[in-house]
Amino acid sequence: MKMFQVRQTVHYDLTIAAGTEQEAILKAGGIPLAKWDPGNTEITAELLDETDELDEY
């Protein structure tokens, strides 16, 4: 059996008015995720162990 680590990443978009990039980041951190627009979803898999059978010692 091969072991994989699977990761799902969802990107959200939010447009807000702010004076600086730092201010925008701080404002965005306080806004609930429900108010963000869901963007694309990315799923990746990484092979962790290629052994098909148990190693014997």
PDB file of all heavy atoms in Angstrom, residues 18-45:
ATOM      1  N   ALA A  18      -8.624  50.297   1.496  1.00  0.00           N
ATOM      2  CA  ALA A  18      -7.653  50.532   2.565  1.00  0.00           C
ATOM      3  C   ALA A  18      -6.586  51.483   2.043  1.00  0.00           C
ATOM      4  O   ALA A  18      -6.365  51.594   0.837  1.00  0.00           O
ATOM      5  CB  ALA A  18      -7.032  49.219   3.009  1.00  0.00           C
ATOM      6  N   GLY A  19      -5.905  52.150   2.961  1.00  0.00           N
ATOM      7  CA  GLY A  19      -4.871  53.102   2.569  1.00  0.00           C
ATOM      8  C   GLY A  19      -3.558  52.439   2.182  1.00  0.00           C
ATOM      9  O   GLY A  19      -2.827  52.945   1.333  1.00  0.00           O
ATOM     10  N   THR A  20      -3.260  51.293   2.813  1.00  0.00           N
ATOM     11  CA  THR A  20      -2.001  50.597   2.529  1.00  0.00           C
ATOM     12  C   THR A  20      -2.255  49.089   2.462  1.00  0.00           C
ATOM     13  O   THR A  20      -3.310  48.608   2.892  1.00  0.00           O
ATOM     14  CB  THR A  20      -0.951  50.846   3.637  1.00  0.00           C
ATOM     15  OG1 THR A  20      -1.448  50.275   4.860  1.00  0.00           O
ATOM     16  CG2 THR A  20      -0.665  52.315   3.822  1.00  0.00           C
ATOM     17  N   GLU A  21      -1.281  48.368   1.944  1.00  0.00           N
ATOM     18  CA  GLU A  21      -1.385  46.910   1.872  1.00  0.00           C
ATOM     19  C   GLU A  21      -1.499  46.323   3.280  1.00  0.00           C
ATOM     20  O   GLU A  21      -2.283  45.406   3.520  1.00  0.00           O
ATOM     21  CB  GLU A  21      -0.150  46.359   1.157  1.00  0.00           C
ATOM     22  CG  GLU A  21      -0.185  44.861   0.945  1.00  0.00           C
ATOM     23  CD  GLU A  21       1.033  44.348   0.193  1.00  0.00           C
ATOM     24  OE1 GLU A  21       1.685  45.140  -0.517  1.00  0.00           O
ATOM     25  OE2 GLU A  21       1.330  43.168   0.333  1.00  0.00           O
ATOM     26  N   GLN A  22      -0.724  46.867   4.213  1.00  0.00           N
ATOM     27  CA  GLN A  22      -0.770  46.388   5.595  1.00  0.00           C
ATOM     28  C   GLN A  22      -2.152  46.582   6.207  1.00  0.00           C
ATOM     29  O   GLN A  22      -2.672  45.702   6.880  1.00  0.00           O
ATOM     30  CB  GLN A  22       0.263  47.154   6.446  1.00  0.00           C
ATOM     31  CG  GLN A  22       1.395  46.285   6.903  1.00  0.00           C
ATOM     32  CD  GLN A  22       2.376  47.080   7.770  1.00  0.00           C
ATOM     33  OE1 GLN A  22       2.348  48.306   7.818  1.00  0.00           O
ATOM     34  NE2 GLN A  22       3.233  46.368   8.446  1.00  0.00           N
ATOM     35  N   GLU A  23      -2.744  47.743   5.976  1.00  0.00           N
ATOM     36  CA  GLU A  23      -4.076  48.019   6.503  1.00  0.00           C
ATOM     37  C   GLU A  23      -5.096  47.055   5.906  1.00  0.00           C
ATOM     38  O   GLU A  23      -5.994  46.563   6.601  1.00  0.00           O
ATOM     39  CB  GLU A  23      -4.484  49.466   6.203  1.00  0.00           C
ATOM     40  CG  GLU A  23      -5.826  49.851   6.788  1.00  0.00           C
ATOM     41  CD  GLU A  23      -6.296  51.238   6.370  1.00  0.00           C
ATOM     42  OE1 GLU A  23      -5.494  51.995   5.768  1.00  0.00           O
ATOM     43  OE2 GLU A  23      -7.456  51.550   6.637  1.00  0.00           O
ATOM     44  N   ALA A  24      -4.974  46.755   4.613  1.00  0.00           N
ATOM     45  CA  ALA A  24      -5.880  45.825   3.948  1.00  0.00           C
ATOM     46  C   ALA A  24      -5.780  44.433   4.575  1.00  0.00           C
ATOM     47  O   ALA A  24      -6.791  43.772   4.810  1.00  0.00           O
ATOM     48  CB  ALA A  24      -5.576  45.764   2.456  1.00  0.00           C
ATOM     49  N   ILE A  25      -4.558  43.997   4.853  1.00  0.00           N
ATOM     50  CA  ILE A  25      -4.352  42.674   5.457  1.00  0.00           C
ATOM     51  C   ILE A  25      -4.966  42.631   6.854  1.00  0.00           C
ATOM     52  O   ILE A  25      -5.640  41.669   7.224  1.00  0.00           O
ATOM     53  CB  ILE A  25      -2.852  42.327   5.500  1.00  0.00           C
ATOM     54  CG1 ILE A  25      -2.341  42.100   4.074  1.00  0.00           C
ATOM     55  CG2 ILE A  25      -2.592  41.105   6.368  1.00  0.00           C
ATOM     56  CD1 ILE A  25      -0.829  42.007   3.958  1.00  0.00           C
ATOM     57  N   LEU A  26      -4.763  43.687   7.638  1.00  0.00           N
ATOM     58  CA  LEU A  26      -5.328  43.743   8.985  1.00  0.00           C
ATOM     59  C   LEU A  26      -6.855  43.753   8.950  1.00  0.00           C
ATOM     60  O   LEU A  26      -7.506  43.055   9.720  1.00  0.00           O
ATOM     61  CB  LEU A  26      -4.806  44.970   9.735  1.00  0.00           C
ATOM     62  CG  LEU A  26      -3.327  44.917  10.127  1.00  0.00           C
ATOM     63  CD1 LEU A  26      -2.880  46.263  10.684  1.00  0.00           C
ATOM     64  CD2 LEU A  26      -3.082  43.819  11.144  1.00  0.00           C
ATOM     65  N   LYS A  27      -7.431  44.533   8.038  1.00  0.00           N
ATOM     66  CA  LYS A  27      -8.886  44.588   7.912  1.00  0.00           C
ATOM     67  C   LYS A  27      -9.434  43.215   7.512  1.00  0.00           C
ATOM     68  O   LYS A  27     -10.430  42.751   8.061  1.00  0.00           O
ATOM     69  CB  LYS A  27      -9.298  45.608   6.852  1.00  0.00           C
ATOM     70  CG  LYS A  27      -9.349  47.042   7.325  1.00  0.00           C
ATOM     71  CD  LYS A  27      -9.904  47.896   6.179  1.00  0.00           C
ATOM     72  CE  LYS A  27     -10.223  49.296   6.629  1.00  0.00           C
ATOM     73  NZ  LYS A  27     -10.802  50.099   5.539  1.00  0.00           N
ATOM     74  N   ALA A  28      -8.805  42.598   6.534  1.00  0.00           N
ATOM     75  CA  ALA A  28      -9.273  41.306   6.022  1.00  0.00           C
ATOM     76  C   ALA A  28      -9.256  40.241   7.107  1.00  0.00           C
ATOM     77  O   ALA A  28     -10.128  39.377   7.154  1.00  0.00           O
ATOM     78  CB  ALA A  28      -8.420  40.869   4.834  1.00  0.00           C
ATOM     79  N   GLY A  29      -8.278  40.308   8.002  1.00  0.00           N
ATOM     80  CA  GLY A  29      -8.176  39.330   9.081  1.00  0.00           C
ATOM     81  C   GLY A  29      -9.362  39.371  10.023  1.00  0.00           C
ATOM     82  O   GLY A  29      -9.675  38.378  10.670  1.00  0.00           O
ATOM     83  N   GLY A  30     -10.044  40.503  10.105  1.00  0.00           N
ATOM     84  CA  GLY A  30     -11.183  40.639  10.996  1.00  0.00           C
ATOM     85  C   GLY A  30     -12.524  40.390  10.339  1.00  0.00           C
ATOM     86  O   GLY A  30     -13.559  40.500  10.984  1.00  0.00           O
ATOM     87  N   ILE A  31     -12.531  40.064   9.057  1.00  0.00           N
ATOM     88  CA  ILE A  31     -13.784  39.849   8.326  1.00  0.00           C
ATOM     89  C   ILE A  31     -14.082  38.351   8.265  1.00  0.00           C
ATOM     90  O   ILE A  31     -13.225  37.570   7.850  1.00  0.00           O
ATOM     91  CB  ILE A  31     -13.701  40.452   6.906  1.00  0.00           C
ATOM     92  CG1 ILE A  31     -13.509  41.972   7.022  1.00  0.00           C
ATOM     93  CG2 ILE A  31     -14.938  40.116   6.095  1.00  0.00           C
ATOM     94  CD1 ILE A  31     -13.284  42.671   5.704  1.00  0.00           C
ATOM     95  N   PRO A  32     -15.277  37.925   8.702  1.00  0.00           N
ATOM     96  CA  PRO A  32     -15.611  36.488   8.693  1.00  0.00           C
ATOM     97  C   PRO A  32     -15.514  35.889   7.287  1.00  0.00           C
ATOM     98  O   PRO A  32     -15.851  36.551   6.307  1.00  0.00           O
ATOM     99  CB  PRO A  32     -17.059  36.439   9.192  1.00  0.00           C
ATOM    100  CG  PRO A  32     -17.354  37.792   9.741  1.00  0.00           C
ATOM    101  CD  PRO A  32     -16.370  38.753   9.156  1.00  0.00           C
ATOM    102  N   LEU A  33     -15.072  34.655   7.234  1.00  0.00           N
ATOM    103  CA  LEU A  33     -14.868  33.969   5.955  1.00  0.00           C
ATOM    104  C   LEU A  33     -16.153  33.883   5.139  1.00  0.00           C
ATOM    105  O   LEU A  33     -16.114  33.851   3.907  1.00  0.00           O
ATOM    106  CB  LEU A  33     -14.310  32.565   6.204  1.00  0.00           C
ATOM    107  CG  LEU A  33     -13.669  31.860   5.022  1.00  0.00           C
ATOM    108  CD1 LEU A  33     -12.555  32.685   4.399  1.00  0.00           C
ATOM    109  CD2 LEU A  33     -13.155  30.498   5.430  1.00  0.00           C
ATOM    110  N   ALA A  34     -17.316  33.903   5.796  1.00  0.00           N
ATOM    111  CA  ALA A  34     -18.596  33.815   5.087  1.00  0.00           C
ATOM    112  C   ALA A  34     -18.798  35.003   4.152  1.00  0.00           C
ATOM    113  O   ALA A  34     -19.557  34.919   3.189  1.00  0.00           O
ATOM    114  CB  ALA A  34     -19.746  33.739   6.092  1.00  0.00           C
ATOM    115  N   LYS A  35     -18.118  36.107   4.411  1.00  0.00           N
ATOM    116  CA  LYS A  35     -18.272  37.304   3.573  1.00  0.00           C
ATOM    117  C   LYS A  35     -17.300  37.300   2.390  1.00  0.00           C
ATOM    118  O   LYS A  35     -17.355  38.179   1.550  1.00  0.00           O
ATOM    119  CB  LYS A  35     -18.076  38.561   4.415  1.00  0.00           C
ATOM    120  CG  LYS A  35     -19.115  38.680   5.500  1.00  0.00           C
ATOM    121  CD  LYS A  35     -19.163  40.056   6.074  1.00  0.00           C
ATOM    122  CE  LYS A  35     -20.191  40.078   7.178  1.00  0.00           C
ATOM    123  NZ  LYS A  35     -21.126  41.132   7.117  1.00  0.00           N
ATOM    124  N   TRP A  36     -16.391  36.343   2.374  1.00  0.00           N
ATOM    125  CA  TRP A  36     -15.440  36.235   1.264  1.00  0.00           C
ATOM    126  C   TRP A  36     -16.092  35.473   0.126  1.00  0.00           C
ATOM    127  O   TRP A  36     -17.003  34.682   0.313  1.00  0.00           O
ATOM    128  CB  TRP A  36     -14.190  35.488   1.724  1.00  0.00           C
ATOM    129  CG  TRP A  36     -13.348  36.224   2.723  1.00  0.00           C
ATOM    130  CD1 TRP A  36     -13.723  36.655   3.959  1.00  0.00           C
ATOM    131  CD2 TRP A  36     -11.987  36.601   2.578  1.00  0.00           C
ATOM    132  NE1 TRP A  36     -12.679  37.263   4.596  1.00  0.00           N
ATOM    133  CE2 TRP A  36     -11.589  37.246   3.763  1.00  0.00           C
ATOM    134  CE3 TRP A  36     -11.058  36.453   1.558  1.00  0.00           C
ATOM    135  CZ2 TRP A  36     -10.304  37.740   3.953  1.00  0.00           C
ATOM    136  CZ3 TRP A  36      -9.778  36.934   1.758  1.00  0.00           C
ATOM    137  CH2 TRP A  36      -9.420  37.576   2.938  1.00  0.00           C
ATOM    138  N   ASP A  37     -15.598  35.697  -1.097  1.00  0.00           N
ATOM    139  CA  ASP A  37     -16.089  34.961  -2.264  1.00  0.00           C
ATOM    140  C   ASP A  37     -15.192  33.753  -2.497  1.00  0.00           C
ATOM    141  O   ASP A  37     -13.975  33.917  -2.672  1.00  0.00           O
ATOM    142  CB  ASP A  37     -16.053  35.846  -3.521  1.00  0.00           C
ATOM    143  CG  ASP A  37     -16.988  37.042  -3.415  1.00  0.00           C
ATOM    144  OD1 ASP A  37     -18.086  36.875  -2.865  1.00  0.00           O
ATOM    145  OD2 ASP A  37     -16.600  38.127  -3.882  1.00  0.00           O
ATOM    146  N   PRO A  38     -15.779  32.544  -2.506  1.00  0.00           N
ATOM    147  CA  PRO A  38     -14.941  31.364  -2.752  1.00  0.00           C
ATOM    148  C   PRO A  38     -14.391  31.398  -4.177  1.00  0.00           C
ATOM    149  O   PRO A  38     -15.127  31.613  -5.122  1.00  0.00           O
ATOM    150  CB  PRO A  38     -15.884  30.193  -2.535  1.00  0.00           C
ATOM    151  CG  PRO A  38     -17.254  30.759  -2.589  1.00  0.00           C
ATOM    152  CD  PRO A  38     -17.174  32.217  -2.293  1.00  0.00           C
ATOM    153  N   GLY A  39     -13.109  31.199  -4.290  1.00  0.00           N
ATOM    154  CA  GLY A  39     -12.463  31.163  -5.605  1.00  0.00           C
ATOM    155  C   GLY A  39     -12.228  29.728  -6.022  1.00  0.00           C
ATOM    156  O   GLY A  39     -13.058  28.857  -5.762  1.00  0.00           O
ATOM    157  N   ASN A  40     -11.097  29.471  -6.596  1.00  0.00           N
ATOM    158  CA  ASN A  40     -10.798  28.126  -7.077  1.00  0.00           C
ATOM    159  C   ASN A  40     -10.314  27.222  -5.942  1.00  0.00           C
ATOM    160  O   ASN A  40      -9.865  27.673  -4.906  1.00  0.00           O
ATOM    161  CB  ASN A  40      -9.764  28.181  -8.202  1.00  0.00           C
ATOM    162  CG  ASN A  40      -8.459  28.800  -7.760  1.00  0.00           C
ATOM    163  OD1 ASN A  40      -8.390  29.518  -6.771  1.00  0.00           O
ATOM    164  ND2 ASN A  40      -7.402  28.525  -8.487  1.00  0.00           N
ATOM    165  N   THR A  41     -10.445  25.930  -6.160  1.00  0.00           N
ATOM    166  CA  THR A  41     -10.000  24.920  -5.211  1.00  0.00           C
ATOM    167  C   THR A  41      -8.899  24.101  -5.868  1.00  0.00           C
ATOM    168  O   THR A  41      -9.016  23.723  -7.024  1.00  0.00           O
ATOM    169  CB  THR A  41     -11.170  23.986  -4.823  1.00  0.00           C
ATOM    170  OG1 THR A  41     -12.195  24.777  -4.239  1.00  0.00           O
ATOM    171  CG2 THR A  41     -10.731  22.940  -3.824  1.00  0.00           C
ATOM    172  N   GLU A  42      -7.856  23.844  -5.118  1.00  0.00           N
ATOM    173  CA  GLU A  42      -6.726  23.074  -5.644  1.00  0.00           C
ATOM    174  C   GLU A  42      -6.487  21.876  -4.727  1.00  0.00           C
ATOM    175  O   GLU A  42      -6.406  22.020  -3.516  1.00  0.00           O
ATOM    176  CB  GLU A  42      -5.486  23.964  -5.664  1.00  0.00           C
ATOM    177  CG  GLU A  42      -4.229  23.280  -6.129  1.00  0.00           C
ATOM    178  CD  GLU A  42      -3.023  24.212  -6.065  1.00  0.00           C
ATOM    179  OE1 GLU A  42      -3.205  25.434  -5.972  1.00  0.00           O
ATOM    180  OE2 GLU A  42      -1.901  23.695  -6.100  1.00  0.00           O
ATOM    181  N   ILE A  43      -6.412  20.684  -5.320  1.00  0.00           N
ATOM    182  CA  ILE A  43      -6.133  19.473  -4.549  1.00  0.00           C
ATOM    183  C   ILE A  43      -4.838  18.873  -5.075  1.00  0.00           C
ATOM    184  O   ILE A  43      -4.676  18.673  -6.277  1.00  0.00           O
ATOM    185  CB  ILE A  43      -7.280  18.451  -4.657  1.00  0.00           C
ATOM    186  CG1 ILE A  43      -8.576  19.050  -4.109  1.00  0.00           C
ATOM    187  CG2 ILE A  43      -6.936  17.167  -3.924  1.00  0.00           C
ATOM    188  CD1 ILE A  43      -9.785  18.151  -4.247  1.00  0.00           C
ATOM    189  N   THR A  44      -3.899  18.616  -4.166  1.00  0.00           N
ATOM    190  CA  THR A  44      -2.621  18.028  -4.555  1.00  0.00           C
ATOM    191  C   THR A  44      -2.365  16.770  -3.727  1.00  0.00           C
ATOM    192  O   THR A  44      -2.875  16.624  -2.624  1.00  0.00           O
ATOM    193  CB  THR A  44      -1.454  19.012  -4.331  1.00  0.00           C
ATOM    194  OG1 THR A  44      -1.427  19.394  -2.954  1.00  0.00           O
ATOM    195  CG2 THR A  44      -1.604  20.250  -5.196  1.00  0.00           C
ATOM    196  N   ALA A  45      -1.577  15.860  -4.275  1.00  0.00           N
ATOM    197  CA  ALA A  45      -1.205  14.637  -3.571  1.00  0.00           C
ATOM    198  C   ALA A  45       0.296  14.454  -3.687  1.00  0.00           C
ATOM    199  O   ALA A  45       0.874  14.653  -4.754  1.00  0.00           O
ATOM    200  CB  ALA A  45      -1.937  13.438  -4.155  1.00  0.00           C
TER     201      ALA A  45
END
